[in-house]
Amino acid sequence: MSRLSIYEVLRDAIRAEEPVALATMVDGPRPGANVLVRPGSEIVGSLGDPDLDRVVARDVLAELAAGMSTLRHYGLHGEARRQDVAVFVQSFAPPPQLIVFGAVDFTGALVKVAKVLGYRVTVCDARAAFATHQRFPQADEVVVDWPDRYLAKIGADLGPRDAVCVLTHDHKFDVPAILAALETHVGYLGAMGSRRTNADRVARLRESGVDEARLARVMAPIGLDIGARTPEETAISICAEIIASRTGRPAPSLRAIDGPIHPR
């Protein structure tokens, strides 16, 4: 396939907000050669060696899943720990998703902060009177549905760059939402509530068969321990915890400490 055709495929994928990555040889026997990689599709183009193409395509899919662009090195046939070939991987990933369950007072602030960070934000609540575009004009989508039913529809699309925040404070909403979210590959799952509310919720999750390993995925009480008081400050603490979770950096989560959540 010609270079022009590769870039046409790349252009169409970007316009459709489909994940795609371009790997270009910047040092090696064929500088400028490239391959286009998309999840679930055959690679387009070649770096000049089928084994190198295969290994690069595998690694590119991992970088694309993380939304990362990077420089990688290989042997002439894709061998690891060699420096014969340098390949620049440019990922074009769609915006990460933030699903917010619960059309509550904190939701509007969380939507605003998440949009600044580049998330595609969906607000979902089963109560039609609360889940409206008028209340959350900056949300990309406002859905009237039960959380678990909504996740059954879109959960397969959630990945490690995405986040689910459960702000409902109501067991009939948040327990099914958490159970459904635990069945996905979402990178961050947090739930709001006091320590008493969270203890009750954890007991209900255990009664539903959730083991300790899966409970460890739930960041609750949600957010970092930064002394947040207002909805806006709380939204920043939540988004900061999402960032720390994604980057693997240590941060003082409310889940990890005792005492009151809100400063006196």
Side-chain angles (χ1 to χ4, degrees):
M1 179 172 286
S2 69
R3 181 181 299 274
L4 178 62
S5 296
I6 287 177
Y7 282 101
E8 287 175 339
V9 176
L10 176 64
R11 176 201 63 199
D12 293 343
I14 293 173
R15 286 178 176 175
E17 292 193 347
E18 298 173 351
V20 62
L22 185 68
T24 303
M25 186 182 294
V26 295
D27 190 22
R30 293 186 61 188
N34 48 31
V35 293
L36 190 77
V37 181
R38 293 173 293 172
S41 300
E42 294 184 1
I43 66 173
V44 178
S46 176
L47 299 174
D49 180 86
D51 291 329
L52 178 61
D53 291 343
R54 175 180 53 79
V55 174
V56 168
R58 178 200 65 198
D59 293 346
V60 166
L61 285 174
E63 299 291 352
L64 182 57
M68 300 291 292
S69 295
T70 189
L71 185 68
R72 301 187 68 101
H73 293 86
Y74 303 91
L76 293 175
H77 305 290
E79 300 92 339
R81 297 183 294 278
R82 297 280 294 273
Q83 301 288 318
D84 305 296
V85 176
V87 177
F88 178 65
V89 179
Q90 189 172 11
S91 294
F92 299 89
Q97 297 185 71
L98 172 62
I99 313 298
V100 184
F101 290 119
V104 299
D105 292 340
F106 289 92
T107 302
L110 181 56
V111 171
K112 292 176 184 177
V113 175
K115 289 301 296 179
V116 171
L117 296 176
Y119 282 84
R120 185 186 188 281
V121 183
T122 298
V123 175
C124 178
D125 196 301
R127 302 168 298 176
F130 294 93
T132 67
H133 284 284
Q134 289 74 22
R135 291 190 68 210
F136 309 107
Q138 290 182 293
D140 296 280
E141 188 176 15
V142 178
V143 176
V144 178
D145 204 346
W146 286 82
D148 54 327
R149 190 164 60 186
Y150 179 67
L151 280 176
K153 299 173 186 174
I154 61 93
D157 296 329
L158 296 178
R161 298 169 63 234
D162 303 316
V164 169
C165 294
V166 182
L167 310 184
T168 46
H169 287 81
D170 188 330
H171 294 311
K172 70 174 178 290
F173 289 107
D174 57 11
V175 170
I178 292 170
L179 290 172
L182 286 172
E183 297 301 318
T184 74
H185 297 293
V186 72
Y188 175 89
L189 170 58
M192 181 173 278
S194 67
R195 297 198 184 280
R196 179 180 296 179
T197 296
N198 187 58
D200 188 16
R201 182 167 53 213
V202 167
R204 291 170 184 265
L205 288 169
R206 287 194 176 112
E207 290 172 2
S208 299
V210 178
D211 58 26
E212 297 305 311
R214 290 199 296 163
L215 276 176
R217 290 182 60 192
V218 185
M219 303 301 294
I222 197 171
L224 295 188
D225 180 25
I226 60 173
R229 294 176 181 271
T230 67
E232 290 75 19
E233 291 174 347
T234 301
I236 289 172
S237 79
I238 293 171
C239 288
E241 186 173 64
I242 292 172
I243 294 170
S245 175
R246 187 184 70 235
T247 60
R249 301 297 290 268
S253 292
L254 285 168
R255 184 180 73 167
I257 65 168
D258 296 320
I261 291 174
H262 300 293
R264 298 185 185 278

